[in-house]
Amino acid sequence: MIARRIFTQNYRNLVSDEIEFADGVNVISGRNGQGKTNLLESLCLFTGVRSFRGAKNLEMIAKGQKYSRIELGFFAEKRDQTASLVITDKKQATLNGVRLAAATGFIGRFCAVVFSPDNMSLVRGGSAERRRFLDAAISQQYPAYPRLLVEYNRILAQRNAFLKKSASTAGFESMLEIWDENLSATGAKISCKRHEYVARLCGRTEEIFEGISSGRDKVGLRYSCGFLHPDSVSETAASLKSQLEAHRASDLAQGCTNYGAHRDDLNITVNDMAARSYASQGQKRSCVLALKLAEASLLEQSAGERPVAVLDDVMSELDGMRQDYLLNHMDGWQVFISCCDPHTVKGLDKGRIIEVEGGRCKMVQ
């Protein structure tokens, strides 16, 4: 999967223009506030998901304008394709000249894996961030998985609401038994699928991390679940149900469910020590990069095409060896890397450098 060119009109601060990309590494260079991330954001909107910055539609329109328009030429499914987005208070999407019902129709047609500074919460943040990463990655490969998550969260919310009611309610125990049964059955499917995905993710993450660190450091992943039986969904469900029953008193006292798939975590280590507590900033950034690139690699296996890698503000806090890996040793990838330091660009052996100043994009290599 290759992004060939993009045209922007009235998109944030970007000057209306068409930009052509290289098949390999594209470095988007320039000082802060010039529009580097705006360019990457416009590209990633064609994945069919919302802005990786969490921006609303109207925030993506240049000041004083009523709409913005972006057009993408890309190669996927063994042919050249075109896509366009007109953004007002909503998005109007077109693929190969055919109007789509919604921009979500781009999902699976143009794929990209994005690293942005917010992704650092994968290591620095709490377990909810890591569960969110796993769930988003799994959802791209298993269409039925998002429905499982919706069902689990619905049951969990109902059980929590029920726990807040008085235990003197008639038939309380038998009613809670029903919630426990349903939560256990659904939660077991989620935890087993996450464990299966992490098992696949682990080897690829280790390999990529070794390349980024030039073999100096070692990363480790382990899915943490207190009731998991990896080879059996039914045994996992039975184990979770036992946990729910054993901790019913504390759940009642707190008015919430303390065991289940919503408490699982992904443990990340560097050199056998917890990355969150002991890794350097460069090591943490390398962990997240390796996770995101491993995610892309697994997506390639399932979709049959390698996604585009978009790395926003990734070069800071990486030493020279790690920067060299990203610039010159990601063979077979189309990569977009934004950076501020002009000296970083000097390390690029081959590829394209696009300089952004005042919203204007200029190819300098």
Side-chain angles (χ1 to χ4, degrees), residues 36-334:
K36 300 187 304 296
T37 301
N38 294 343
L39 178 59
L40 297 182
E41 178 189 47
S42 69
L43 174 66
C44 292
L45 289 179
F46 288 100
T47 62
V49 299
R50 65 179 301 183
S51 161
F52 63 80
R53 303 156 92 178
K56 298 177 181 178
N57 288 343
L58 294 179
E59 295 172 342
M60 294 182 276
I61 302 173
K63 186 176 180 180
Q65 302 297 323
K66 295 182 178 180
Y67 72 94
S68 65
R69 179 181 182 86
I70 46 178
E71 299 175 358
L72 177 69
F74 66 102
F75 183 85
E77 300 174 303
K78 300 181 180 180
R79 63 192 177 107
D80 287 317
Q81 303 190 53
T82 59
S84 69
L85 272 172
V86 176
I87 305 171
T88 54
D89 57 341
K90 56 186 177 182
K91 294 187 182 81
Q92 178 183 315
T94 303
L95 179 64
N96 299 320
V98 178
R99 175 85 173 265
L100 303 178
T104 53
F106 289 138
I107 293 176
R109 308 302 297 271
F110 178 76
C111 301
V113 172
V114 184
F115 172 94
S116 72
D118 288 345
N119 294 137
M120 291 304 297
S121 60
L122 270 174
V123 176
R124 296 172 180 165
S127 59
E129 297 292 337
R130 291 178 285 279
R131 288 193 300 272
R132 191 174 296 115
F133 161 72
L134 292 176
D135 291 339
I138 295 169
S139 294
Q140 292 191 76
Q141 298 191 34
Y142 301 97
Y145 187 77
R147 294 194 291 273
L148 269 180
L149 294 173
V150 170
E151 178 68 5
Y152 181 85
N153 289 327
R154 182 187 65 80
I155 298 168
L156 178 64
Q158 291 175 338
R159 187 181 193 271
N160 286 343
F162 191 72
L163 286 169
K164 292 181 173 68
K165 295 181 179 179
S166 172
S168 61
T169 302
F172 176 84
E173 290 289 338
S174 61
M175 292 176 70
L176 194 56
E177 186 73 19
I178 295 172
W179 298 128
D180 290 359
E181 185 75 33
N182 293 336
L183 193 73
S184 298
T186 309
K189 293 176 184 176
I190 290 171
S191 292
C192 286
K193 183 59 73 176
R194 287 174 180 165
H195 178 270
E196 173 192 316
Y197 182 80
V198 171
R200 295 172 57 215
L201 188 72
C202 187
R204 193 70 187 103
T205 303
E206 290 174 353
E207 181 182 342
I208 294 170
F209 187 87
E210 182 178 3
I212 294 173
S213 68
S214 299
R216 292 174 297 175
D217 298 311
K218 180 179 69 173
V219 70
L221 304 179
R222 183 178 66 83
Y223 187 62
S224 177
C225 175
F227 52 87
L228 183 69
H229 292 262
D231 300 322
S232 173
V233 173
S234 60
E235 288 184 38
T236 299
S239 179
L240 174 54
K241 192 168 184 295
S242 295
Q243 293 272 22
L244 292 171
E245 292 170 351
H247 296 88
R248 189 169 288 177
S250 61
D251 284 358
L252 282 166
Q254 297 176 46
C256 65
T257 304
N258 290 291
Y259 282 85
H262 60 292
R263 299 290 189 181
D264 296 351
D265 200 357
L266 174 64
N267 293 334
I268 305 172
T269 60
V270 174
N271 300 328
D272 300 319
M273 301 182 73
R276 183 181 183 185
S277 302
Y278 298 104
S280 68
Q281 294 307 308
Q283 288 172 327
K284 288 176 181 176
R285 190 162 291 239
S286 297
C287 283
V288 177
L289 266 172
L291 281 167
K292 297 296 288 184
L293 294 176
E295 174 197 350
S297 183
L298 295 188
L299 183 57
E300 176 189 8
Q301 291 176 15
S302 63
E305 293 193 71
R306 177 166 288 178
V308 171
V310 177
L311 313 177
D312 184 32
D313 191 23
V314 69
M315 304 302 271
S316 60
E317 298 179 4
L318 293 181
D319 60 26
M321 286 187 176
R322 289 180 168 91
Q323 290 181 358
D324 178 68
Y325 176 86
L326 295 178
L327 290 172
N328 301 311
H329 298 282
M330 291 185 61
D331 296 335
W333 292 84
Q334 186 183 35

